Amino acid sequence: MLRWHLQLGNVVIPKSVTPSRIKENIEVFDFSLDDEDLAAISALNEDRRLGPDPAEFDMD
């Protein structure tokens, strides 16, 4: 997912304290997704949110 975001031009700030996960995050620069892969991942979008909507989040 990190690679997909990077190739779309999104800013990616992964977080981990687990050494193996940190290594995996760095390895995202060792490959690229082809157009078919990018399209397949993009097709997974269902336009729904799994967490609270920031536009409706009450900070008061």
Side-chain angles (χ1 to χ4, degrees):
M1 196 52 51
L2 293 175
R3 183 70 222 178
W4 178 77
H5 277 293
L6 287 170
Q7 283 188 228
L8 291 181
N10 297 327
V11 175
V12 178
I13 305 172
K15 178 252 175 219
S16 183
V17 295
T18 307
S20 62
R21 295 263 173 88
I22 293 169
K23 183 178 182 295
E24 289 173 356
N25 290 342
I26 292 170
E27 290 172 348
V28 75
F29 298 104
D30 293 348
F31 69 98
S32 63
L33 301 171
D34 61 26
D35 290 340
E36 186 177 307
D37 292 332
L38 290 170
I41 295 169
S42 293
L44 297 172
N45 182 18
E46 296 180 350
D47 282 329
R48 61 184 183 143
R49 185 172 290 282
L50 298 177
D53 185 346
E56 297 177 7
F57 192 72
D58 185 11
M59 296 290 288
D60 296 329

